[in-house]
């Protein structure tokens, strides 16, 4: 049996080709998560959170392999983002942003295995943020989604279109947090070629 790969098994959610907003049905998913606040470009807590997530994710991969004889591909980094007003994203007021960074996990990875992996990772690495890693579940359902290619700071026009035009034109309202999925490694990818999925859970207004 090949390893579980969320990008393959949920291809419609993790491999879109549309650069314009379109609706997609997102199934319920499980994650590991860390919460924080501040500018992801300058706040050290963000860097520590991402490092902690990956430490637990790879420990969880090997824990699951030993305990269940099942394997999975560690998924891409994802983030839920929110602020007091939507304009904080279109104006890129990053110091006001709240975030919840995520990495997907298969359904067969239980909360008990997450806790075991968290403890094991904390024993191996002197990284206190690992203690903040926890389980998280999402059930976003119907969502507006598009693929953004380019620097993260160039997402503003797409988000302004979503908030100012797309939702109204399609009789939709936002029901969840702004969700981003980072398909590229910013350390190895030219900013102009970064691929990011932008997602917003929605519902019909009628």
């Amino acid at each position: 049996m090949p390893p579980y790969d969320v990008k393959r098994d949920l291809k419609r959610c993790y491999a879109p080709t549309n650069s314009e907003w379109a609706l997609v049905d997102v199934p319920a998913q499980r994650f590991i998560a860390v919460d924080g606040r501040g500018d992801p470009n300058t706040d050290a807590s963000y860097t520590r959170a991402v490092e902690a997530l990956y430490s637990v994710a790879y420990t969880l991969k090997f824990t699951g392999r030993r305990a269940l004889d099942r394997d999975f591909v560690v998924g891409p980094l994802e983030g839920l983002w929110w602020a007091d007003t939507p304009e904080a994203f279109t104006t890129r007021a990053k110091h006001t942003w709240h975030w919840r960074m995520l990495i997907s996990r298969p359904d067969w990875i239980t909360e008990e295995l997450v806790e075991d992996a968290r403890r094991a990772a904390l024993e191996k690495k002197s990284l206190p943020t690992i203690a903040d890693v926890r389980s998280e579940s999402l059930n976003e359902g119907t969502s507006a989604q598009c693929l953004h290619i380019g620097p993260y700071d160039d997402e503003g026009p797409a988000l302004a279109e979503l908030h100012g035009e797309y939702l109204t034109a399609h009789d939709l309202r936002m029901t969840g947090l702004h969700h981003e999925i980072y398909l590229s490694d910013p350390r190895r990818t030219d900013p102009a070629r970064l691929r990011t999925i932008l997602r917003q859970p929605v519902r019909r207004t009628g």
Side-chain angles (χ1 to χ4, degrees):
M1 181 183 297
Y4 173 83
D5 186 345
V6 69
K7 298 189 301 299
R8 179 194 64 223
D9 289 46
L10 291 180
K11 187 174 181 179
R12 70 186 183 279
C13 300
Y14 283 81
T17 58
N18 54 293
S19 59
E20 301 293 330
W21 292 101
L23 296 181
V24 62
D25 186 32
V26 182
Q29 288 182 262
R30 296 179 179 179
F31 299 86
I32 55 174
V34 178
D35 290 0
R37 181 182 181 181
D39 187 335
N41 294 333
T42 59
D43 196 317
S45 66
Y46 177 84
T47 302
R48 291 193 295 267
V50 172
E51 185 179 353
L53 269 183
Y54 276 108
S55 295
V56 174
Y58 279 101
T59 304
L60 189 58
K61 172 183 173 71
F62 298 121
T63 300
R65 185 186 294 171
R66 288 194 304 268
L68 304 173
D69 196 27
R70 301 182 71 174
D71 197 6
F72 68 92
V73 176
V74 173
L77 181 68
E78 308 186 33
L80 301 178
W81 301 85
W82 67 99
D84 293 338
T85 63
E87 291 76 19
F89 294 105
T90 56
T91 61
R92 315 308 283 174
K94 298 179 184 180
H95 65 285
T96 68
W97 293 359
H98 297 260
W99 40 262
R100 177 172 300 144
M101 306 315 295
L102 310 161
I103 294 178
S104 175
R105 75 182 203 265
D107 288 345
W108 41 267
I109 292 292
T110 64
E111 292 190 16
E112 290 76 15
L113 285 175
V114 171
E115 179 61 21
D116 289 345
R118 188 184 64 81
R119 284 198 299 263
L122 193 56
E123 290 175 1
K124 291 179 181 178
K125 286 199 172 184
S126 179
L127 186 61
T129 307
I130 289 175
D132 298 327
V133 175
R134 58 180 176 78
S135 297
E136 175 78 6
S137 296
L138 286 180
N139 190 3
E140 293 175 304
T142 302
S143 299
Q145 179 171 285
C146 71
L147 177 66
H148 171 74
I149 300 177
Y152 302 134
D153 282 340
D154 288 353
E155 295 173 4
L159 298 177
E161 179 188 0
L162 173 70
H163 299 151
E165 301 176 25
Y166 184 85
L167 295 177
T168 301
H170 293 83
D171 297 320
L172 298 169
R173 61 181 177 87
M174 297 187 295
T175 59
L177 298 176
H178 174 67
H179 190 163
E180 298 192 356
I181 303 170
Y182 306 102
L183 303 178
S184 307
D185 185 342
R187 298 170 302 177
R188 299 181 175 89
T189 307
D190 186 295
R193 299 174 65 86
L194 289 171
R195 299 169 69 248
T196 306
I197 298 171
L198 308 181
R199 180 185 296 165
Q200 176 60 55
V202 296
R203 285 186 183 174
R204 299 288 180 186
T205 57

